[in-house]
Amino acid sequence: KNQVEQSPQSLIILEGKNCTLQCNYTVSPFSNLRWYKQDTGRGPVSLTIMTFSENTKSNGRYTATLDADTKQSSLHITASQLSDSASYICVVSETGGFKTIFGAGTRLFVKA
Amino acid sequence: NAGVTQTPKFQVLKTGQSMTLQCAQDMNHEYMSWYRQDPGMGLRLIHYSVGAGITDQGEVPNGYNVSRSTTEDFPLRLLSAAPSQTSVYFCASRSLLAGGNTGELFFGEGSRLTVL
């Protein structure tokens, strides 16, 4: 069964610190992997997209990595800000159709 | 440019009642979809559409109906609400021009539904 698993479930860090969120998937055939940010009470918003041939992609203080061989991705947040407090959702899509699998998300709390 | 608009934001129903969640997008996206988000779980696909007049079931379609009469609108109908349908519902759309599953999903703000 295609699955997307994220760790940790939740994380508390101090403002200014870095953190890394993990995503493991078993989705096949693989098309792409996106990381979404979901603020409380809002809909998810895409941060990055990575395809099979891409290893690293950055969006400001967010850097995503992808290892297609081990089926793992990470999202690294640098110099965290209070506004980074949100859920971060890993989303993996199959090729040849419309199927998209969502992870349960990592809830990040950034404290002052 | 409003993006994806969902109404209502909050709704309380009694068991057995019916209602429709509205979703509209102004980006001319071919693909529209409905998800439910429950605590500790990833978003689960209820129904989706790849164009006017074309709909298909997702992972958890039971108890829900959809129709797509225009490109812009994709309402979700609860036929006879049950407490198990208490959830937050999200509508999302994306362009299919890039092909397959590569386009970014644009989400509405969500509709929180409670069934008593």
Side-chain angles (χ1 to χ4, degrees), chain A residues 1 9 31-32 34 36 38 41-46 49 51 89 91 93-95 97-100 102-104, chain B residues 31 35 37 40-45 48 50 59 90 94 96 100-110 112:
Chain A
K1 179 181 177 182
Q9 276 190 317
S31 171
N32 64 83
R34 285 186 183 268
Y36 283 79
Q38 184 177 20
R42 309 293 296 271
V45 175
S46 179
I49 177 174
T51 57
I89 303 171
V91 183
S93 296
E94 295 181 356
T95 56
F98 302 101
K99 194 160 188 180
T100 296
F102 290 77
Chain B
Y31 180 92
Y35 299 86
Q37 187 174 40
M41 301 180 71
L43 283 124
R44 292 183 291 167
L45 181 64
Y48 69 96
V50 296
E59 182 183 354
F90 287 96
R94 64 180 169 91
L96 295 180
N101 252 338
T102 55
E104 175 184 353
L105 279 168
F106 291 85
F107 287 85
E109 296 290 274
R112 183 175 292 275

Side-chain angles (χ1 to χ4, degrees), chain B residues 1-2 28 33 51 68 70 72 94 98 105 107 109:
Chain B
N1 194 339
N28 204 31
S33 52
R68 184 98 178 266
T70 66
E72 296 77 19
R94 64 180 169 91
L105 279 168
F107 287 85
E109 296 290 274

Side-chain angles (χ1 to χ4, degrees), chain B residues 5-12 19-23 34 89 109-113:
Chain B
T5 304
Q6 287 183 236
T7 57
K9 288 190 181 299
F10 302 94
Q11 182 72 49
V12 179
M19 76 157 299
T20 300
L21 299 177
Q22 302 291 344
C23 176
W34 277 101
Y89 292 85
E109 296 290 274
S111 298
R112 183 175 292 275
L113 175 66

Side-chain angles (χ1 to χ4, degrees), chain A residues 29-102:
Chain A
F30 174 85
S31 171
N32 64 83
L33 184 149
R34 285 186 183 268
W35 284 92
Y36 283 79
K37 179 186 180 187
Q38 184 177 20
D39 292 315
T40 301
R42 309 293 296 271
V45 175
S46 179
L47 292 174
T48 64
I49 177 174
M50 303 190 73
T51 57
F52 186 87
S53 59
E54 295 175 301
N55 299 118
T56 303
K57 185 167 284 188
S58 292
N59 178 2
R61 295 180 296 102
Y62 301 103
T63 300
T65 65
L66 175 66
D67 185 334
D69 291 330
T70 62
K71 298 187 177 182
Q72 295 179 325
S73 176
S74 66
L75 181 69
H76 185 76
I77 304 175
T78 303
S80 61
Q81 300 177 357
L82 297 178
S83 60
D84 292 331
S85 294
S87 289
Y88 292 84
I89 303 171
C90 177
V91 183
V92 184
S93 296
E94 295 181 356
T95 56
F98 302 101
K99 194 160 188 180
T100 296
I101 314 295
F102 290 77

Side-chain angles (χ1 to χ4, degrees), chain B residues 51-88:
Chain B
I54 307 170
T55 63
D56 205 349
Q57 295 182 351
E59 182 183 354
V60 288
N62 293 340
Y64 308 94
N65 272 2
V66 292
S67 60
R68 184 98 178 266
S69 56
T70 66
T71 300
E72 296 77 19
D73 300 299
F74 191 46
L76 178 72
R77 298 183 190 83
L78 280 71
L79 307 173
S80 177
S84 61
Q85 293 179 304
T86 294
S87 188
V88 181

